[in-house]
Amino acid sequence: MNLVESLRAHRLLAIIRGTDPTAALRTVLALAEEGIEAVEVSLTTKDATSVIAQARAELGPKALVGAGTVRTAADAARAVDAGASFLVTPALVDGLQSGDGPDVPVLMGALTPSEIEGALARGACAVKLFPGSLGGPGYLRALRDPFPEVPFVPVGGVDAAAARAYLALGATAVGVGSPLVGDAADGGDLGELRARVAVFRAATAAEEAP
């Protein structure tokens, strides 16, 4: 499984944070039914590792169900044990590519040029540009000059309009949490979730990245 190729093809990473593990699992499955290929379950979600394990069991071994808010090597280990197919960090985290376990791709959080270099040095397959809202699409444009080959996935405050702008400027994909998921992972209406999915799928497919 190549996470970057999948993100480049589908251009949308859904991010789930919730207080209700049953609702969080329903949300993962609903997103998959609507064609969202990559879903991140934040470890701040109640019983997150159980949600990941159940989702992988339901969706099969090729499903891209990852763990987010991975802040330590211990977080990574329990996520991988639960079956996470990729890891997402909010910042630079050491010890995730120790060679002692399975080769699980890491989308590592970074903001500044120095942090981006640090993420790459730590073995990140792509850089989660976070918080994306701090600099917006214009900041991604500036970063693309010195880092033309780096796969960037902006996360944080990405609505449908921002998603279009980031992708038009060459983002590999965008990561979207509450603007897409809303309150579904807390027990909210899945019909409304499906409607938001349609909006974001249209937005991410609207323009081809250069």
Side-chain angles (χ1 to χ4, degrees):
M1 183 272 297
N2 187 310
L3 177 64
V4 174
E5 288 181 4
S6 179
L7 290 173
R8 186 171 286 120
H10 301 285
R11 312 216 293 173
L12 181 60
L13 169 65
I15 303 168
I16 294 176
R17 297 178 187 272
T19 57
D20 181 339
T22 300
L25 177 60
R26 286 200 307 260
T27 301
V28 175
L29 299 179
L31 289 167
E33 289 170 2
E34 295 301 314
I36 303 300
E37 294 289 328
V39 179
E40 166 195 337
V41 179
S42 170
L43 292 183
T44 60
T45 297
K46 186 175 180 181
D47 295 334
T49 54
S50 295
V51 173
I52 292 168
Q54 292 178 70
R56 289 297 303 277
E58 290 272 354
L59 297 174
K62 294 185 178 180
L64 286 175
V65 180
T69 322
V70 174
R71 297 176 58 196
T72 66
D75 285 344
R78 64 191 181 94
V80 172
D81 286 346
S85 52
F86 61 93
L87 305 173
V88 184
T89 78
L92 301 181
V93 178
D94 290 320
L96 302 192
Q97 301 285 2
S98 65
D100 297 329
D103 184 16
V104 178
V106 178
L107 177 60
M108 192 167 287
L111 179 64
T112 68
S114 294
E115 290 174 352
I116 291 164
E117 292 286 11
L120 299 174
R122 287 167 173 81
C125 69
V127 171
K128 169 185 169 179
L129 189 62
F130 178 78
S133 57
L134 191 61
Y139 185 58
L140 173 65
R141 181 192 295 113
L143 289 174
R144 290 269 291 165
D145 287 336
F147 300 106
E149 304 303 322
V150 174
F152 284 108
V153 181
V155 177
V158 179
D159 59 14
R164 290 190 190 94
Y166 280 123
L167 292 167
L169 290 168
T172 296
V174 290
V176 187
S178 57
L180 170 62
V181 175
D183 63 353
D186 298 315
D189 184 79
L190 291 183
E192 294 180 3
L193 171 67
R194 295 177 192 278
R196 291 190 296 271
V197 169
V199 170
F200 273 91
R201 290 199 68 188
T204 55
E207 295 188 36
E208 292 297 324

